[in-house]
Amino acid sequence: MKGVLNLVSVGPGFSEMIIPRAEKALRDSDVIVGYELYLSWISPWLEGKEIHTPPLTQERQRALLAIEKARSGAKVALISSGDIGIYAMAALVFEELSEDELFEINVIPGITSANACASLLGSPLSHDFATLSLSDLLCPWEWIEQRAQHIAQADLACVLYNVQSAGRQQGVYRILNIMLEYKGPQTLCGVVKNAYRPGQQVSIYRLDELLTMQFDMLTTIVIGNRFTARKGNYIYTPRGYNDWVGDTLQAEADALPSGAAWVFSGTSDGNALARQMVENDHKVVVSTATEYGGELAMQDCPGVAVWAGHQGMEARRQALVKQQARIIVDATHPFATLISEQLMTLSSELGIPYIRYERPTATIPEEVLTSVKFCNSMQEAAELSIRIGKRIFLATGSKDLATFLQTKDAAQRQWFTRITPEPELIKRAIELGVLRAHICAMQGPFSEAINVALWQDWKIDCIITKDSGDAGGMMVKVQAAKKLGVPIIVIARPNMQYPLVASTFESMLDKLACKP
């Protein structure tokens, strides 16, 4: 009797997502081989079958058992979740087959994790995309990083499999940082856990927000490309080239002056520094991460050229080279460590001098120290605030909201925040769970009186801020908290090693005068 080996894909976890051809193969088979969990999805078609369930770690043994049964003349179904030909059992079977097998082989496709997760997110894989497994059990880690770099450089949408395990914690963050070298930090991403299974969770984040999150082996990450957009609770990537807008950022960069000092700003003192540089006869380009930041730069810095928008590292590299940048001036926020790291890397790679403008830290007077508590990280501040407060005000900006709102017991507290009045930031805060009535969307700086009035009206009992210095309004917040008798948590600046630092405009101008 001629045997049959059906390589059957049973999708993500719901029987209604198994295609009719797979169901027919299961009904026609006498022997079923598969991991026990997967068989629970196909239980209606297993009655009277010979069942074999080697453990999850024995994939090759399962393949060999199914081949042996088919060689003996049985009709066998080897089961895999998702699609059996994608990161699954089919390849193991073909490795073990001889070229003169007499039994029939049928590969039956199914809905893989990429398809399942994409459907829950909307349509993020509507154009070219790649998949990448982060498991290094069968692939050297350096290959994984190299492939990630090519995917990011091509700006492909991508799906990350086997994201994080108990013994493999840091790899995903290395891959995300590689993505951020070429993709903008605002790139839309989906995080899906247990797709089409009990405990399903679907969330949308910016690429840079993923660096603060924890994942597991049941989680899949979908990373968009620069055109991926959002509609409500869904993300999608446009289908065709004809409808895509060209890379306007690069076109704008090509129109910028050659041989200028490039000031990477986005802060009020960064803009003030750029203005003084122009007044001292320096040719200046101001680069900001948002269009709104670009508008402020044009208002605050007459005579500068402005390059505004979400640029990735590769776009910055090309612009700095094409426009023959004379020097990189890093005047970004003290907590914008990612962009500072990128700028230092570009300086080293391209041979362009780098100077960091580091705004001075604030000196807190003795009389107000009693109301101040210091933390070394966002996570530490989040955990402390939950212990000491019930109505907690976040004066930390929009980037780190997820850290606070996803900390254990965060749902038992009321969260209030003040963020820049940009629609996407307000929308993001709402999606993370901040009530609309608890959002103050205003452009700073803020006086002590405004802080006192706002916190008093909202009955705030704990405040969190960054050590952003006097320029960032830190002391104004500390004084307001002291006046109200409310504890304020100050998060220390990240410890960065800059090659050359200036902390005043005068010293910065002196250093610039010494540069070619």
mmCIF file of all heavy atoms in Angstrom, residues 369-395:
data_model
loop_
_atom_site.group_PDB
_atom_site.id
_atom_site.type_symbol
_atom_site.label_atom_id
_atom_site.label_comp_id
_atom_site.label_asym_id
_atom_site.label_seq_id
_atom_site.Cartn_x
_atom_site.Cartn_y
_atom_site.Cartn_z
ATOM 1 N N LEU A 369 15.021 70.732 49.148
ATOM 2 C CA LEU A 369 15.469 69.352 48.930
ATOM 3 C C LEU A 369 14.575 68.325 49.591
ATOM 4 O O LEU A 369 14.476 67.187 49.139
ATOM 5 C CB LEU A 369 16.907 69.181 49.440
ATOM 6 C CG LEU A 369 18.025 69.462 48.434
ATOM 7 C CD1 LEU A 369 19.383 69.357 49.102
ATOM 8 C CD2 LEU A 369 17.940 68.517 47.255
ATOM 9 N N THR A 370 13.906 68.712 50.672
ATOM 10 C CA THR A 370 13.077 67.752 51.403
ATOM 11 C C THR A 370 11.913 67.229 50.571
ATOM 12 O O THR A 370 11.398 66.148 50.825
ATOM 13 C CB THR A 370 12.522 68.386 52.685
ATOM 14 O OG1 THR A 370 11.853 69.607 52.347
ATOM 15 C CG2 THR A 370 13.640 68.663 53.681
ATOM 16 N N SER A 371 11.497 67.999 49.570
ATOM 17 C CA SER A 371 10.361 67.568 48.742
ATOM 18 C C SER A 371 10.805 66.795 47.503
ATOM 19 O O SER A 371 9.963 66.328 46.728
ATOM 20 C CB SER A 371 9.534 68.782 48.300
ATOM 21 O OG SER A 371 10.316 69.630 47.470
ATOM 22 N N VAL A 372 12.134 66.636 47.315
ATOM 23 C CA VAL A 372 12.659 66.026 46.092
ATOM 24 C C VAL A 372 13.141 64.607 46.354
ATOM 25 O O VAL A 372 13.831 64.344 47.349
ATOM 26 C CB VAL A 372 13.824 66.864 45.520
ATOM 27 C CG1 VAL A 372 14.352 66.229 44.231
ATOM 28 C CG2 VAL A 372 13.378 68.292 45.259
ATOM 29 N N LYS A 373 12.764 63.695 45.477
ATOM 30 C CA LYS A 373 13.262 62.322 45.512
ATOM 31 C C LYS A 373 13.943 62.041 44.181
ATOM 32 O O LYS A 373 13.406 62.380 43.125
ATOM 33 C CB LYS A 373 12.111 61.336 45.757
ATOM 34 C CG LYS A 373 11.376 61.587 47.067
ATOM 35 C CD LYS A 373 10.262 60.592 47.287
ATOM 36 C CE LYS A 373 9.487 60.911 48.556
ATOM 37 N NZ LYS A 373 10.322 60.825 49.770
ATOM 38 N N PHE A 374 15.109 61.423 44.222
ATOM 39 C CA PHE A 374 15.903 61.229 43.013
ATOM 40 C C PHE A 374 15.845 59.770 42.571
ATOM 41 O O PHE A 374 15.886 58.856 43.390
ATOM 42 C CB PHE A 374 17.349 61.643 43.252
ATOM 43 C CG PHE A 374 17.521 63.109 43.523
ATOM 44 C CD1 PHE A 374 17.544 63.585 44.826
ATOM 45 C CD2 PHE A 374 17.633 64.005 42.476
ATOM 46 C CE1 PHE A 374 17.692 64.946 45.079
ATOM 47 C CE2 PHE A 374 17.780 65.364 42.722
ATOM 48 C CZ PHE A 374 17.805 65.838 44.025
ATOM 49 N N CYS A 375 15.742 59.564 41.252
ATOM 50 C CA CYS A 375 15.752 58.223 40.662
ATOM 51 C C CYS A 375 16.728 58.206 39.497
ATOM 52 O O CYS A 375 16.983 59.242 38.869
ATOM 53 C CB CYS A 375 14.355 57.824 40.179
ATOM 54 S SG CYS A 375 13.186 57.474 41.512
ATOM 55 N N ASN A 376 17.217 57.014 39.173
ATOM 56 C CA ASN A 376 18.207 56.880 38.099
ATOM 57 C C ASN A 376 17.605 56.444 36.770
ATOM 58 O O ASN A 376 18.323 56.376 35.771
ATOM 59 C CB ASN A 376 19.298 55.896 38.509
ATOM 60 C CG ASN A 376 20.171 56.447 39.618
ATOM 61 O OD1 ASN A 376 20.538 57.621 39.595
ATOM 62 N ND2 ASN A 376 20.480 55.621 40.608
ATOM 63 N N SER A 377 16.316 56.100 36.754
ATOM 64 C CA SER A 377 15.702 55.634 35.505
ATOM 65 C C SER A 377 14.211 55.899 35.520
ATOM 66 O O SER A 377 13.612 56.126 36.580
ATOM 67 C CB SER A 377 15.944 54.132 35.323
ATOM 68 O OG SER A 377 15.207 53.394 36.284
ATOM 69 N N MET A 378 13.610 55.845 34.341
ATOM 70 C CA MET A 378 12.164 56.001 34.218
ATOM 71 C C MET A 378 11.434 54.902 34.979
ATOM 72 O O MET A 378 10.438 55.153 35.667
ATOM 73 C CB MET A 378 11.756 55.967 32.735
ATOM 74 C CG MET A 378 12.307 57.100 31.911
ATOM 75 S SD MET A 378 11.543 58.678 32.307
ATOM 76 C CE MET A 378 12.644 59.781 31.410
ATOM 77 N N GLN A 379 11.929 53.665 34.840
ATOM 78 C CA GLN A 379 11.265 52.546 35.494
ATOM 79 C C GLN A 379 11.289 52.692 37.012
ATOM 80 O O GLN A 379 10.296 52.448 37.693
ATOM 81 C CB GLN A 379 11.923 51.224 35.084
ATOM 82 C CG GLN A 379 11.178 49.986 35.554
ATOM 83 C CD GLN A 379 9.772 49.899 34.993
ATOM 84 O OE1 GLN A 379 9.555 50.070 33.802
ATOM 85 N NE2 GLN A 379 8.804 49.652 35.869
ATOM 86 N N GLU A 380 12.439 53.100 37.540
ATOM 87 C CA GLU A 380 12.551 53.311 38.984
ATOM 88 C C GLU A 380 11.590 54.404 39.440
ATOM 89 O O GLU A 380 10.928 54.285 40.486
ATOM 90 C CB GLU A 380 13.994 53.684 39.339
ATOM 91 C CG GLU A 380 14.249 53.837 40.832
ATOM 92 C CD GLU A 380 15.668 54.303 41.136
ATOM 93 O OE1 GLU A 380 16.529 54.224 40.222
ATOM 94 O OE2 GLU A 380 15.915 54.751 42.272
ATOM 95 N N ALA A 381 11.492 55.481 38.660
ATOM 96 C CA ALA A 381 10.580 56.574 38.994
ATOM 97 C C ALA A 381 9.123 56.114 38.946
ATOM 98 O O ALA A 381 8.307 56.505 39.784
ATOM 99 C CB ALA A 381 10.801 57.746 38.046
ATOM 100 N N ALA A 382 8.796 55.298 37.956
ATOM 101 C CA ALA A 382 7.429 54.795 37.832
ATOM 102 C C ALA A 382 7.046 53.965 39.053
ATOM 103 O O ALA A 382 5.956 54.132 39.632
ATOM 104 C CB ALA A 382 7.297 53.962 36.556
ATOM 105 N N GLU A 383 7.933 53.066 39.462
ATOM 106 C CA GLU A 383 7.635 52.207 40.612
ATOM 107 C C GLU A 383 7.528 53.014 41.902
ATOM 108 O O GLU A 383 6.646 52.757 42.735
ATOM 109 C CB GLU A 383 8.725 51.139 40.731
ATOM 110 C CG GLU A 383 8.708 50.150 39.566
ATOM 111 C CD GLU A 383 9.940 49.269 39.510
ATOM 112 O OE1 GLU A 383 10.825 49.432 40.397
ATOM 113 O OE2 GLU A 383 10.028 48.427 38.596
ATOM 114 N N LEU A 384 8.407 54.018 42.068
ATOM 115 C CA LEU A 384 8.350 54.862 43.264
ATOM 116 C C LEU A 384 7.071 55.686 43.289
ATOM 117 O O LEU A 384 6.413 55.810 44.341
ATOM 118 C CB LEU A 384 9.574 55.776 43.308
ATOM 119 C CG LEU A 384 9.619 56.795 44.456
ATOM 120 C CD1 LEU A 384 9.566 56.083 45.814
ATOM 121 C CD2 LEU A 384 10.864 57.676 44.347
ATOM 122 N N SER A 385 6.690 56.254 42.140
ATOM 123 C CA SER A 385 5.492 57.106 42.103
ATOM 124 C C SER A 385 4.245 56.319 42.481
ATOM 125 O O SER A 385 3.351 56.838 43.155
ATOM 126 C CB SER A 385 5.325 57.729 40.715
ATOM 127 O OG SER A 385 4.986 56.747 39.740
ATOM 128 N N ILE A 386 4.178 55.065 42.062
ATOM 129 C CA ILE A 386 3.016 54.236 42.375
ATOM 130 C C ILE A 386 2.955 53.930 43.873
ATOM 131 O O ILE A 386 1.875 53.790 44.452
ATOM 132 C CB ILE A 386 3.043 52.950 41.525
ATOM 133 C CG1 ILE A 386 2.708 53.295 40.067
ATOM 134 C CG2 ILE A 386 2.082 51.892 42.056
ATOM 135 C CD1 ILE A 386 2.898 52.168 39.096
ATOM 136 N N ARG A 387 4.127 53.875 44.521
ATOM 137 C CA ARG A 387 4.145 53.624 45.968
ATOM 138 C C ARG A 387 3.716 54.847 46.774
ATOM 139 O O ARG A 387 3.107 54.705 47.835
ATOM 140 C CB ARG A 387 5.551 53.194 46.411
ATOM 141 C CG ARG A 387 5.967 51.823 45.918
ATOM 142 C CD ARG A 387 7.120 51.261 46.750
ATOM 143 N NE ARG A 387 8.325 52.084 46.688
ATOM 144 C CZ ARG A 387 9.261 51.949 45.763
ATOM 145 N NH1 ARG A 387 9.133 51.013 44.819
ATOM 146 N NH2 ARG A 387 10.332 52.724 45.771
ATOM 147 N N ILE A 388 4.030 56.060 46.267
ATOM 148 C CA ILE A 388 3.800 57.243 47.098
ATOM 149 C C ILE A 388 2.642 58.120 46.627
ATOM 150 O O ILE A 388 2.236 59.024 47.356
ATOM 151 C CB ILE A 388 5.077 58.095 47.199
ATOM 152 C CG1 ILE A 388 5.443 58.713 45.839
ATOM 153 C CG2 ILE A 388 6.227 57.276 47.766
ATOM 154 C CD1 ILE A 388 6.657 59.647 45.908
ATOM 155 N N GLY A 389 2.114 57.876 45.438
ATOM 156 C CA GLY A 389 1.072 58.756 44.922
ATOM 157 C C GLY A 389 -0.140 58.027 44.392
ATOM 158 O O GLY A 389 -0.092 56.836 44.089
ATOM 159 N N LYS A 390 -1.236 58.762 44.296
ATOM 160 C CA LYS A 390 -2.465 58.226 43.701
ATOM 161 C C LYS A 390 -2.890 59.031 42.478
ATOM 162 O O LYS A 390 -3.482 58.505 41.559
ATOM 163 C CB LYS A 390 -3.600 58.217 44.734
ATOM 164 C CG LYS A 390 -3.418 57.191 45.842
ATOM 165 C CD LYS A 390 -4.625 57.176 46.761
ATOM 166 C CE LYS A 390 -4.573 56.001 47.735
ATOM 167 N NZ LYS A 390 -3.355 55.977 48.544
ATOM 168 N N ARG A 391 -2.594 60.331 42.490
ATOM 169 C CA ARG A 391 -2.890 61.204 41.352
ATOM 170 C C ARG A 391 -1.548 61.776 40.898
ATOM 171 O O ARG A 391 -1.046 62.747 41.474
ATOM 172 C CB ARG A 391 -3.880 62.306 41.745
ATOM 173 C CG ARG A 391 -5.229 61.740 42.193
ATOM 174 C CD ARG A 391 -6.130 62.833 42.751
ATOM 175 N NE ARG A 391 -6.536 63.803 41.756
ATOM 176 C CZ ARG A 391 -7.577 63.667 40.940
ATOM 177 N NH1 ARG A 391 -8.328 62.569 40.986
ATOM 178 N NH2 ARG A 391 -7.886 64.609 40.058
ATOM 179 N N ILE A 392 -0.983 61.153 39.875
ATOM 180 C CA ILE A 392 0.423 61.364 39.527
ATOM 181 C C ILE A 392 0.538 62.199 38.252
ATOM 182 O O ILE A 392 -0.087 61.876 37.231
ATOM 183 C CB ILE A 392 1.131 60.009 39.336
ATOM 184 C CG1 ILE A 392 0.950 59.148 40.603
ATOM 185 C CG2 ILE A 392 2.604 60.211 39.030
ATOM 186 C CD1 ILE A 392 1.347 57.700 40.410
ATOM 187 N N PHE A 393 1.344 63.238 38.309
ATOM 188 C CA PHE A 393 1.534 64.129 37.164
ATOM 189 C C PHE A 393 2.868 63.835 36.496
ATOM 190 O O PHE A 393 3.918 63.839 37.145
ATOM 191 C CB PHE A 393 1.499 65.594 37.608
ATOM 192 C CG PHE A 393 1.620 66.574 36.467
ATOM 193 C CD1 PHE A 393 0.487 66.995 35.786
ATOM 194 C CD2 PHE A 393 2.852 67.071 36.075
ATOM 195 C CE1 PHE A 393 0.591 67.892 34.729
ATOM 196 C CE2 PHE A 393 2.969 67.977 35.029
ATOM 197 C CZ PHE A 393 1.828 68.384 34.349
ATOM 198 N N LEU A 394 2.831 63.573 35.202
ATOM 199 C CA LEU A 394 4.025 63.276 34.423
ATOM 200 C C LEU A 394 4.462 64.518 33.653
ATOM 201 O O LEU A 394 3.802 64.932 32.702
ATOM 202 C CB LEU A 394 3.756 62.130 33.451
ATOM 203 C CG LEU A 394 3.375 60.792 34.092
ATOM 204 C CD1 LEU A 394 2.990 59.782 33.014
ATOM 205 C CD2 LEU A 394 4.523 60.258 34.930
ATOM 206 N N ALA A 395 5.564 65.096 34.093
ATOM 207 C CA ALA A 395 6.164 66.226 33.376
ATOM 208 C C ALA A 395 7.407 65.743 32.642
ATOM 209 O O ALA A 395 8.425 66.419 32.595
ATOM 210 C CB ALA A 395 6.503 67.338 34.363
#
